[in-house]
């Protein structure tokens, strides 16, 4: 049974503990300007649990329908759970809310000013007995209710809002290494809510900037936008999502999102690891669509899964410019969806499942990209070799019309040139040092150079190919 992350999000609030606002909270007037968590009792001393204060703050913003929040440069401890002590509860250890903004009609602004929200230590994440609190373990998949436990669902949830959203200068620390880890739940791994920021169904513009979201049980960032036309795009800039359990970032719906200068690294490298384990997973869910997404100057490195994966759902039209993908124990990318474009990108480690099509405009395309296998360019000096023992840098045996234009394959270690049959190489440079034979077969357009042990039988050269110093043209027998 594969559970939709959208479904988990929609149902996560069932059985939630009601929060009682202080009597004076409702008297905070809109005329006073920005709100602070200290107005609602937060200490920000790195010791006191401030979950209730942040929940009260969010409740006041929801009451107003809009709000501006200012934090101070301090450490706020958040995350709290209540033991159910009954067998049929939705959660064995029910998480308290932190900041959940729902249905705002006006703008929401959160100025972090360098603040840190850090999950309290020693809370439970996974499956536990609701009566005794003991860890439980079940064969997977396991989706039975009653044992779920999590410190929080989201540190910040913004859902179904119509005004502009602006969140900046904030660190969200899930502290998963400090938690008590229980049994797995879901189809694989720990499919239990525990994320940094979730943007769900918002119709106004969204802007996230200078945010570090790390060590969460699930995703550092979760995007489930509307897939109809919007009047404004959303910008996610200078956001780092690292050491999260399932994804650096999941994009499960929406259009018009621009990611700039972001990092999506080290997924699954902390206390928990759940599939896909990607830096970024582009996976439209629940009948939604993903369209018109761009990434520029972003890094996807050392993830337990792929650096970027797109393999299910109605996703199409994603552009990557000047991005770096480094695969240490898994593929650098897995772009198995139409109209994915890579411009001036660098790949360290192999790629696989690039979308091919009889319609060239739908196939995956690479322009001015560089492909390397040098361990010095990878964390821990480790480069993934792929599942093919020949270690091709691009394992694309049956992907027609995938295009490499003005690309450079500079292989100086164990990898060999691409394993292909029907791709297009236009004005490319291909070189390998390995003595194993590679098979970069396909269509060569313009003027290309190929250096190394290679078999290109069946290729069609329209233009000129310099193959180990010999000029070749026409059909290769």
């Amino acid at each position: 049974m594969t559970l939709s992350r959208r479904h988990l999000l929609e149902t996560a609030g069932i059985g939630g503990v009601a929060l009682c606002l202080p009597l004076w909270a409702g008297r905070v007037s809109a005329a006073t300007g920005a709100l602070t968590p200290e107005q609602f009792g937060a200490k920000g001393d790195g010791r006191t649990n401030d979950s209730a204060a942040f929940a009260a703050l969010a409740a006041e913003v929801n009451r107003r329908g809009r709000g501006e929040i200012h934090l101070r440069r301090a450490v706020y401890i958040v995350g709290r759970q209540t033991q159910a002590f009954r067998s049929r509860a939705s959660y064995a250890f029910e998480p308290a809310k932190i900041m959940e903004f729902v249905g705002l009609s006006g703008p929401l602004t959160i100025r972090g000013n360098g603040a840190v929200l850090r999950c309290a230590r020693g809370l439970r994440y996974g499956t536990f007995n609701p009566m005794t609190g003991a860890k439980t373990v079940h064969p997977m998949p396991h989706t039975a209710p009653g044992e779920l436990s999590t410190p929080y669902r989201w540190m910040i949830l913004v859902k179904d809002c119509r005004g502009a959203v602006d969140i900046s200068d904030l660190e969200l620390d899930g502290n998963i290494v400090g938690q008590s880890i229980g049994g797995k739940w879901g189809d694989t791994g720990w499919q239990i809510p525990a994320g940094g920021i979730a943007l769900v169904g918002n119709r106004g513009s969204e802007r996230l900037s200078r945010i570090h979201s790390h060590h969460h049980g699930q995703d550092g960032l979760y995007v489930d936008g509307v897939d109809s036309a919007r009047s404004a795009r959303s910008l996610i800039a200078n956001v780092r999502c690292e050491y999260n359990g399932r994804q650096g970032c999941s994009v499960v719906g929406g259009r018009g999102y621009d990611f700039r200068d972001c990092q999506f690294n080290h997924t699954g490298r902390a206390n928990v690891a759940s599939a896909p384990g990607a830096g970024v997973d582009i996976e439209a869910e629940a009948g939604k669509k993903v369209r018109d997404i761009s990434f520029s100057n972003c890094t996807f490195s050392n993830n337990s899964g792929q650096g970027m994966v797109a393999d299910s759902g109605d996703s199409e039209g994603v552009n990557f410019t000047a991005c770096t993908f480094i695969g240490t124990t898994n593929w650098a990318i897995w772009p198995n969806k139409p109209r994915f474009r890579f411009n001036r990108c660098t790949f360290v480690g192999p790629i696989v499942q690039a979308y091919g099509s009889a319609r060239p405009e739908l196939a995956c395309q690479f322009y001015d990209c560089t492909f390397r296998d040098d361990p010095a360019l990878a964390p821990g000096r480790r480069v993934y070799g792929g599942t093919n023992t020949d270690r091709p840098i691009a394992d694309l045996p049956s992907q027609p019309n995938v295009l490499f234009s003005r690309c450079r394959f500079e292989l100086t270690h164990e990898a060999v040139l691409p394993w292909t049959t029907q791709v297009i190489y236009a004005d490319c440079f291909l070189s390998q040092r390995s003595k194993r034979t590679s098979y970069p077969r396909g269509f060569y357009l313009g003027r290309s150079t190929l250096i190394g042990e290679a078999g290109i039988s069946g290729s069609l050269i329209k233009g000129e190919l310099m193959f180990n110093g010999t000029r070749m043209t026409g059909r290769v027998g």
Side-chain angles (χ1 to χ4, degrees):
M1 176 180 180
T2 300
L3 296 183
S4 162
R5 281 169 287 184
R6 172 79 177 189
H7 175 74
L8 284 173
L9 183 68
E10 296 290 349
T11 59
I14 298 174
V17 178
L19 289 164
C20 297
L21 295 177
L23 293 177
W24 48 266
R27 297 199 294 269
V28 179
S29 168
T32 62
L35 299 171
T36 70
E38 284 75 14
Q39 291 173 293
F40 297 83
K43 301 299 184 182
D45 57 10
R47 301 183 302 275
T48 305
N49 196 303
D50 292 326
S51 297
F54 276 101
L57 168 61
E60 173 62 17
V61 172
N62 288 331
R63 186 191 69 80
R64 297 181 180 191
R66 64 185 62 217
E68 182 168 340
I69 297 169
H70 288 188
L71 308 183
R72 59 187 176 88
R73 192 177 185 85
V75 176
Y76 298 91
I77 300 300
V78 295
R80 175 177 285 169
Q81 50 193 195
T82 303
Q83 190 170 353
F85 291 110
R86 54 191 177 93
S87 60
R88 301 186 66 84
S90 297
Y91 278 82
F93 286 80
E94 170 76 31
K97 295 180 180 179
I98 302 177
M99 284 192 280
E100 298 189 4
F101 307 96
V102 180
L104 302 182
S105 58
L108 169 68
T109 301
I110 301 177
R111 300 288 183 224
N113 297 311
V116 178
L117 269 64
R118 177 171 297 144
C119 185
R121 293 181 60 86
L123 299 178
R124 288 170 169 81
Y125 182 67
T127 60
F128 293 85
N129 187 297
M131 305 300 294
T132 67
K135 173 182 175 179
T136 60
V137 178
H138 301 276
M140 297 298 285
H142 173 62
T143 58
E147 297 180 339
L148 292 180
S149 304
T150 186
Y152 54 92
R153 297 181 183 92
W154 304 98
M155 286 194 173
I156 302 176
L157 167 65
V158 186
K159 180 180 177 184
D160 297 335
C161 296
R162 299 190 297 277
V165 175
D166 189 349
I167 305 173
S168 62
D169 299 296
L170 189 61
E171 179 181 344
L172 304 176
D173 179 3
N175 196 16
I176 193 65
V177 297
Q179 308 310 319
S180 176
I181 305 302
K184 298 178 180 181
W185 189 90
D187 54 345
T188 178
W190 289 265
Q191 301 293 341
I192 304 169
I197 298 179
L199 303 174
V200 181
N202 302 311
R203 296 197 169 271
S205 64
E206 299 155 319
R207 181 184 178 92
L208 306 183
S209 55
R210 298 178 300 280
I211 293 171
H212 188 195
S213 185
H214 61 98
H215 287 93
H216 300 285
Q218 280 202 330
D219 302 344
L221 174 61
Y222 181 95
V223 175
D224 187 0
V226 295
D227 54 25
S228 57
R230 294 190 300 157
S231 59
R233 300 182 67 85
S234 292
L235 175 63
I236 298 170
N238 292 288
V239 171
R240 283 191 294 150
C241 297
E242 301 177 313
Y243 295 100
N244 298 294
R246 185 179 67 182
Q247 243 83 260
C249 174
S250 292
V251 181
V252 304
R255 66 170 64 231
Y257 283 84
D258 299 315
F259 295 79
R260 298 178 187 169
D261 303 302
C262 295
Q263 298 179 41
F264 307 100
N265 304 330
H266 313 303
T267 301
R269 304 301 191 192
N271 248 16
V272 299
S274 302
V280 171
D281 179 21
I282 300 172
E283 180 181 349
E285 290 188 343
K288 302 199 76 173
K289 298 179 180 179
V290 172
R291 296 288 189 276
D292 189 16
I293 310 293
S294 75
F295 294 82
S296 60
N297 198 34
C298 296
T299 301
F300 311 71
S301 176
N302 189 38
N303 296 287
S304 61
Q306 298 81 25
M308 186 283 300
V309 60
D311 195 59
S312 63
D314 188 356
S315 304
E316 182 175 335
V318 182
N319 294 298
F320 299 84
T321 302
C323 293
T324 300
F325 304 85
I326 303 175
T328 55
T329 61
N330 213 311
W331 306 99
I333 59 169
W334 181 304
N336 193 22
K337 286 295 170 182
R339 300 184 195 275
F340 272 55
R341 304 289 184 261
F342 298 85
N343 295 275
R344 304 193 315 278
C345 293
T346 298
F347 301 87
V348 180
I351 72 171
V352 72
Q353 293 293 341
Y355 187 84
S357 174
R359 296 172 56 189
E361 72 276 12
L362 298 182
C364 195
Q365 298 178 3
F366 300 83
Y367 296 91
D368 300 294
C369 294
T370 301
F371 298 81
R372 304 288 303 277
D373 67 337
D374 186 353
L377 303 175
R381 300 183 63 88
R382 185 176 184 181
V383 176
Y384 183 58
T387 55
N388 186 329
T389 56
D390 287 336
R391 298 177 67 101
I393 198 68
D395 201 350
L396 307 172
S398 57
Q399 281 80 15
N401 289 313
V402 170
L403 172 65
F404 297 99
S405 177
R406 301 182 304 277
C407 293
R408 296 184 66 86
F409 296 83
E410 301 176 5
L411 308 181
T412 56
H413 288 73
E414 296 183 61
V416 302
L417 293 170
W419 179 287
T420 58
T421 57
Q422 304 175 68
V423 307
I424 302 169
Y425 298 98
D427 300 304
C428 291
F429 175 85
L430 304 93
S431 174
Q432 71 175 59
R433 183 172 296 175
S434 172
K435 297 304 181 182
R436 293 191 303 273
T437 301
S438 59
Y439 296 93
R441 297 158 293 184
F443 304 93
Y444 286 83
L445 307 181
R447 301 183 67 181
S448 295
T449 299
L450 196 163
I451 301 171
E453 297 291 331
I456 59 171
S457 177
S459 297
L460 178 61
I461 304 169
K462 294 184 176 181
E464 177 181 287
L465 173 65
M466 293 298 295
F467 183 12
N468 291 326
T470 300
R471 179 180 178 274
M472 302 184 70
T473 188
R475 178 73 67 176
V476 180

